[in-house]
Amino acid sequence: MEVKINNIRKEFDRFAALNDVSLNIASGELIALLGPSGSGKTTLLRLIAGLDFPTAGQIFFGEEDASRHSVQERNVGFVFQHYALFRHMTVAQNIGFGLKVRPSASRPPKSEIKKRVSDLLDMVQLSGLENRYPNQLSGGQRQRVALARAMAIEPRILLLDEPFGALDAKVRKELRRWLREFHDRTGHTTVFVTHDQEEALELADRVVVMSQGKIEQVGSADDVYDRPQSPFVFSFIGESSHLPVEVKDGAVLFQGQPIGISEGADAAGDLFFRPEDVVLTDEKDALFGKVTACRRLAGTRIAEIDIANNGHDPFHVEVEVPLHAPVELGSEARFRPTRWKIFRK
Amino acid sequence: MSDNRRISFRNPADESFSTKLVLVALSLAFLAFFLFLPLVSVFVEAFREGWGTYEEALVEPDAWAAIQLTLTVAAIAVPLNLVFGLAASWAIAKFEFKGKAFLITLIDLPFSISPVISGLVYVLLFGSGSLLGPWLKSYGIEILFAVPGIVLATVFVTFPFVARELIPLMQDQGTGDEEAALSLGASGWQTFWYVTLPNIKWGLLYGVLLCNARAMGEFGAVSVVSGRIRGLTNTMPLHVEILYNEYNMVAAFAVASLLALLALVTLALKTFLELRFGAGAAGGRH
Ligand SMILES: Nc1ncnc2c1ncn2[C@@H]1O[C@H](COP(=O)(O)OP(=O)(O)O)[C@@H](O)[C@H]1O
Ligand SMILES: [Mg+2]
């Protein structure tokens, strides 16, 4: 099912949790909503599901205006952040719930429900646990029951709110891979929310980066990591440092000094670069400063450097240096970015 | 060099043995004096002249009428407050609206004002000097000094019980389960029946028990509106008082023993619920 989100705005007591958000989700796509806490991810997911209604804007499921439909009619599978399993029902009753409550005309017979539940249990690898209660399951098992329950109604789209948020690191990794396989097998259009960039980059076809109720960028993992389109995305995804710079006659100046890189039009802005995208240099035109900390990171080292020209306030940056480079605590390091982006003010 | 002193590890929350003993003895003595003794004396007094007299006192027409009236009033007031309590706590716990804090305060009102005042309010509303009273009377409807007035006063006095029990419980549970049910296609009614109700059933039952105990035992508010017409508008507590004032001790305590029995059954049921469904049952969780 294709989903189109057009200029959505959502206010809570005048506070805009979402502001002019538009997004097209292709059929069969696995998409991640990524952003810091409070950026509006859950709000967007709930609007798609019909658990909340937008203040302005529209949501289309295919050609059909979903805004006219209640949550029941939208037929979406929603997996809640804390699963919201029915604690007084067994695993099997939980999974069968969506079928049991159908109007009698479309409700499958009991035997059919039973079979569907057992198929779903197979699919989420929980066969044999049908008579357990939710409080007798581990976190990862609850997560999969919640998923099976959502899948039982044959949803047109699957929505997951921080599906792995409450699990420990190892289970997270396993379930992540499992969800990708599950998606590839079932081909559902899937939207999941996360604040963990590793999860989003590894799992999703496309990542939607959100901040303060707005979409900052939509793209593949490579797009958002290698070609960030806003200062927020550059600093939120991966490691980075930034410095205020000026561009004059094509040369980039930091605190009035050229730093050995060039750029097109003249302007003032912020220079962003990643720790791995620098080289050490002896040339005069470079960034330089005192090394304030140095730590080993796998095959390389990360040096923290306070860079400042005489009399100016220092700026703190982090760069990656080769293991045997003559960079140590207290020494002066000179370097130049090899890949960078300047966001104009 | 060895140190022979024994080091004893004590739970920091533990008190010494003598402190425990004193505390336990004090509470037991207190309970015995204020609860157990009066309860026993009610039954002792009731049965002083044997089972025959006891039975006679209960089937005596006025006493029997009082028992029937009390049961009738409870049978009306408790279901009404069950519905009201459910609706109010649902609204308060699951929705955001203006004036919510005020509504919660209102629900507590009967707890904080004297029952006699509650009764007087109805006298003001429906008495012969009021607007409503004479108007209703012209249609042949008696409120004051009749069963409807007793029911109204009882409903008023007992309406916090169910709501008070459910509001914290429902607030604690949030709306997650309900949203899950709705997203799975359940209607509002199915969601209530299959999801909300099972989540709150023990708390609800407990609230109903307390509500019922109070509805049957209410004295102050009812005594103001009832008019105490023997055999007609006397409830059990009122009847006990009348018998007592007539120095008919055995009959008074016979009827009183029924009320005491009600209290004991309520207590037993509550204990049973707690044992059967875990420590949180009275609070509704399991
Ligand atoms: N029901 C609500 N009432 C008021 N404010 C809300 C409500 N739901 C969310 N918000 C606010 O909207 C913003 C976005 O919230 P949310 O979508 O939950 O963020 P995220 O899921 O990205 O952490 C937050 O500032 C939050 O406080
Ligand atoms: Mg969230």
Side-chain angles (χ1 to χ4, degrees), chain A residues 89-317:
Chain A
M89 295 186 200
T90 62
V91 166
Q93 287 167 337
N94 263 284
I95 298 176
F97 183 83
L99 299 172
K100 184 178 116 178
V101 296
R102 282 193 184 164
S104 53
S106 58
R107 181 173 45 217
K110 271 218 169 83
S111 58
E112 168 74 19
I113 294 183
K114 203 164 165 211
K115 185 173 172 307
R116 291 264 285 278
V117 167
S118 113
D119 288 349
L120 281 159
L121 276 166
D122 265 350
M123 194 157 75
V124 297
Q125 298 159 7
L126 289 176
S127 300
L129 300 186
E130 39 270 80
N131 294 321
R132 295 259 190 106
Y133 284 89
N135 63 6
Q136 299 169 316
L137 300 177
S138 74
Q141 289 170 332
R142 284 181 207 177
Q143 169 66 55
R144 281 178 285 160
V145 173
L147 188 60
R149 183 178 71 175
M151 294 295 290
I153 60 170
E154 296 174 326
R156 298 192 287 179
I157 170 170
L158 194 56
L159 306 170
L160 305 104
D161 194 358
E162 310 242 359
F164 315 119
L167 304 171
D168 60 60
K170 187 162 170 292
V171 182
R172 267 177 107 105
K173 279 228 157 91
E174 273 171 31
L175 271 182
R176 204 190 283 176
R177 201 166 319 129
W178 178 85
L179 179 67
R180 180 74 230 189
E181 283 168 20
F182 183 84
H183 174 264
D184 293 345
R185 208 159 4 111
T186 58
H188 268 80
T189 308
T190 305
V191 183
F192 75 98
V193 161
T194 179
H195 61 258
D196 178 348
Q197 48 177 292
E198 200 186 310
E199 201 165 283
L201 297 180
E202 183 183 321
L203 198 52
D205 297 325
R206 281 196 304 157
V207 178
V208 178
V209 185
M210 297 182 63
S211 162
Q212 298 184 356
K214 284 207 171 96
I215 292 184
E216 292 273 338
Q217 187 171 352
V218 182
S220 67
D222 290 346
D223 286 337
V224 294
Y225 191 87
D226 294 333
R227 292 173 288 280
Q229 278 163 13
S230 71
F232 174 82
V233 178
F234 210 125
S235 40
F236 185 69
I237 311 254
E239 301 292 324
S240 66
S241 300
H242 58 100
L243 299 167
V245 294
E246 261 182 300
V247 185
K248 222 177 212 167
D249 304 330
V252 178
L253 312 179
F254 170 67
Q255 293 177 343
Q257 302 284 323
I259 60 172
I261 59 177
S262 51
E263 180 84 4
D266 289 4
D270 273 319
L271 169 77
F272 280 75
F273 57 92
R274 299 205 184 277
E276 64 266 30
D277 294 333
V278 300
V279 283
L280 296 173
T281 175
D282 290 329
E283 283 168 34
K284 186 173 140 291
D285 291 350
L287 289 164
F288 55 89
K290 206 165 136 189
V291 178
T292 58
C294 216
R295 58 178 195 271
R296 175 75 185 245
L297 187 82
T300 59
R301 283 189 301 159
I302 298 290
E304 295 180 27
I305 303 173
D306 274 348
I307 50 173
N309 291 315
N310 289 342
H312 290 281
D313 288 338
F315 283 84
H316 191 81
V317 300

Side-chain angles (χ1 to χ4, degrees), chain A residues 46 51 71-72 75-76 78 80 83-89 94 97-102 107 149-150 153, chain B residues 173 175-188 190-191 193-199 201 285-286:
Chain A
R46 290 172 59 87
L51 290 168
V71 53
Q72 289 102 330
N75 196 26
V76 295
F78 201 108
F80 291 82
Y83 319 137
L85 294 178
F86 306 130
R87 70 205 90 170
H88 59 281
M89 295 186 200
N94 263 284
F97 183 83
L99 299 172
K100 184 178 116 178
V101 296
R102 282 193 184 164
R107 181 173 45 217
R149 183 178 71 175
I153 60 170
Chain B
Q173 291 177 345
T175 50
D177 284 14
E178 280 78 14
E179 287 185 338
L182 293 173
S183 79
L184 291 166
S187 66
Q190 284 172 321
T191 301
W193 195 248
Y194 292 129
V195 175
T196 309
L197 203 56
N199 276 345
K201 62 184 168 197
R285 248 161 303 161
H286 65 116

Side-chain angles (χ1 to χ4, degrees), chain A residues 12-13 15-17 35-44 52 161-162 193:
Chain A
F12 294 107
D13 304 323
F15 165 78
S37 177
S39 54
K41 309 179 296 289
T42 300
T43 304
L44 182 55
D52 269 324
D161 194 358
E162 310 242 359
V193 161

Side-chain angles (χ1 to χ4, degrees), chain B residues 46 51-64 67 239 243 248-255:
Chain B
W51 175 258
T53 326
Y54 179 79
E55 216 184 340
E56 237 167 66
L58 292 185
V59 297
E60 185 266 329
D62 288 350
W64 186 236
I67 293 172
H239 193 63
L243 291 171
N248 192 348
M249 289 304 168
V250 172
F253 280 100
V255 179

